[in-house]
Amino acid sequence: MTTPLKSRIITHIKNSGPLPLAEYMHWCMADPRDGYYANQEAIGAKGDFITAPEISQIFGEMIGIWAVETWEALGKPSSFNLVELGPGKGTLMLDLLRIGNAVPEFLNAAQVQMIETSEKLITTQKQTLAHHDNITWHKSLQEIPPQPTLVIANEFLDVLPIRQYVKTENQWREHAIGVDKKDNLVWTLGTGILDSDSLPQDASSQPDGAIFEISTIREAFIANTADLIKENKGAALFIDYGHGKTGFGDTVQAMRAHGFTGILEEPGLADLTSHVDFDALAKTANSAELQVSALVKQGEFLLAKGLIERAGQLGHQQSPEIQEQLTQQAERLALPDEMGNLFKVFEFGTVKNRD
Ligand code: SAH
């Protein structure tokens, strides 16, 4: 399928040669004119994919419990940043702030800082949070004022571009996108070669064609978050799908209308993501000398925070249909073969409230 972005990418490749995957992903997702987040509905039933906060209000509420516990561990600062990276429709923050009904001092102290690049989603977030004060929107972490800081992010890291390297006879060559004679986008090899220091030890035993992924931009977001927290005290909670140990394999996927599509098929119209290598990110947070908690599965995290109890409370004196709906939502978030195992919770900070 031809898309406006596809024509621009083809022209660029013809002029300048193959486009590395990371640049292709960045272009597809972030181009201000034809990119995915500038134009598409993205999240929800009418969009391309559904995220945990859109499945159940309990998800954001459980993160609210984490936020209050962490704020308490920090000594209940009377003013602090509550930062969310990539807040989507603003639903997680709306549900999180509900905890303010139970802990008003927390709500009074919270300066909510939303970091979002999509103008379209900023508009949606402002509508969702219209009844809350003390919310400011930013384009980057550098704009956050210096004071104790909690950072949360759900399904943010997976949208950031990655590089892929493909094993050839004796080198790991960058995976790139070229154009064939019929003007189709096709996979090819770029000029980049990965230094062996950046590869895991067992790289030499991988077969030809094996793929290794790196996301320097994810590492940069974690490093910036770690610096902010180290300077001001605080903690961060990143939830996303991915793995706890660096490995090999192609994890890039394209989604449109709740189904998978080809990565090169519909640039700008499909959501491009990949699995997060939490091992690599833990190394980044460790090198900032912060306390990094053991990676836990989303299911375990939510159960420990009180998912079942909250579902029971919400279902109390409701119809059997509503109770059934709440059960299904909780199962979707927490069961091992649903989101419970694939999604992981990555936490670091100057304090920690578990293990
Ligand atoms: N957290 C939300 C949305 C996930 S989708 C949820 O769970 O529903 C990814 C979000 O990250 C979108 O809001 C997207 O616009 C935003 N985003 C993508 N790249 C970004 C960047 N570089 N800086 C800030 N936000 C970004």
Side-chain angles (χ1 to χ4, degrees):
M1 181 182 175
T2 298
T3 68
L5 193 56
K6 198 171 198 167
S7 317
R8 288 171 57 201
I9 290 175
I10 289 173
T11 306
H12 175 82
I13 293 172
K14 284 182 177 167
N15 290 334
S16 305
L19 190 63
L21 172 65
E23 275 86 282
Y24 175 77
M25 288 179 89
H26 180 71
W27 209 341
C28 290
M29 300 308 287
D31 184 77
R33 183 168 175 80
D34 299 317
Y36 181 77
Y37 278 112
N39 298 299
Q40 302 304 313
E41 194 54 47
I43 309 157
K46 281 193 253 146
D48 298 307
F49 58 96
I50 192 123
T51 54
E54 306 300 326
I55 292 172
S56 166
Q57 71 176 72
I58 306 177
F59 184 79
E61 291 173 350
M62 297 299 107
I63 297 183
I65 291 177
W66 173 85
V68 168
E69 287 171 354
T70 311
W71 172 73
E72 286 171 349
L74 286 165
K76 301 189 181 182
S78 59
S79 179
F80 72 100
N81 298 314
L82 179 56
V83 179
E84 183 173 1
L85 293 164
K89 293 181 150 186
T91 312
L92 195 167
M93 188 55 78
L94 182 72
D95 294 332
L96 186 163
L97 293 174
R98 199 169 296 119
I99 198 120
N101 296 335
V103 195
E105 314 94 278
F106 170 84
L107 194 61
N108 289 337
Q111 309 282 318
V112 177
Q113 319 281 4
M114 308 286 260
I115 301 196
E116 175 60 69
T117 43
S118 158
E119 293 302 332
K120 192 176 160 76
L121 284 170
I122 290 174
T123 305
T124 309
Q125 290 158 18
K126 287 189 171 162
Q127 284 162 0
T128 306
L129 293 158
H131 298 297
H132 281 280
D133 314 320
N134 274 336
I135 306 187
T136 317
W137 273 263
H138 309 270
K139 293 278 185 279
S140 101
L141 276 173
Q142 272 75 21
E143 296 165 25
I144 303 300
Q147 61 174 343
T149 297
L150 301 184
V151 177
I152 54 168
N154 183 61
E155 289 210 40
F156 169 69
L157 296 169
D158 68 78
V159 306
L160 301 175
I162 60 160
R163 293 189 184 279
Q164 283 189 337
Y165 292 87
V166 184
K167 190 169 185 205
T168 60
E169 226 168 297
N170 46 21
Q171 286 174 326
W172 288 79
R173 297 267 310 271
E174 183 152 23
H175 218 183
I177 290 111
V179 179
D180 71 6
K181 291 201 174 73
K182 292 184 185 156
D183 271 2
N184 293 310
L185 293 176
V186 289
W187 289 104
T188 181
L189 295 177
T191 48
I193 296 169
L194 189 63
D195 191 82
S196 57
D197 291 348
S198 303
L199 284 158
Q201 275 180 344
D202 52 343
S204 56
S205 60
Q206 294 297 312
D208 284 1
I211 285 184
F212 183 64
E213 297 180 339
I214 287 186
S215 178
T216 45
I217 180 163
R218 269 181 207 152
E219 288 168 22
F221 264 102
I222 296 298
N224 283 349
T225 304
D227 285 349
L228 184 68
I229 286 172
K230 206 175 159 185
E231 279 158 30
N232 300 289
K233 296 203 167 40
L237 190 77
F238 286 85
I239 303 182
D240 224 308
Y241 47 95
H243 36 274
K245 185 155 183 4
T246 301
F248 297 90
D250 173 10
T251 74
V252 180
Q253 60 190 41
M255 284 203 90
R256 189 163 185 214
H258 301 271
F260 290 107
T261 175
I263 290 151
L264 308 182
E265 290 304 311
E266 305 164 295
L269 300 186
D271 179 47
L272 296 183
T273 63
S274 67
H275 286 215
V276 176
D277 176 357
F278 288 106
D279 203 359
L281 300 183
K283 288 189 183 103
T284 305
N286 267 321
S287 64
E289 292 168 18
L290 289 170
Q291 302 187 53
V292 182
S293 299
L295 194 68
V296 288
K297 296 175 179 140
Q298 172 171 301
E300 290 167 16
F301 175 85
L302 293 176
L303 291 174
K305 289 280 173 268
L307 172 75
I308 305 289
E309 294 77 2
R310 180 62 175 151
Q313 197 183 33
L314 287 170
H316 184 61
Q317 293 187 334
Q318 299 287 344
S319 65
E321 291 76 29
I322 292 196
Q323 290 173 350
E324 176 56 23
Q325 252 177 29
L326 287 159
T327 306
Q328 280 178 6
Q329 291 170 358
E331 286 178 353
R332 190 155 169 206
L333 293 176
L335 281 184
D337 55 355
E338 303 258 359
M339 297 170 82
N341 275 3
L342 176 61
F343 283 74
K344 313 284 188 316
V345 180
F346 172 49
E347 182 181 346
F348 58 87
T350 57
V351 288
K352 43 181 187 176
N353 59 39
R354 63 186 171 80
D355 36 88

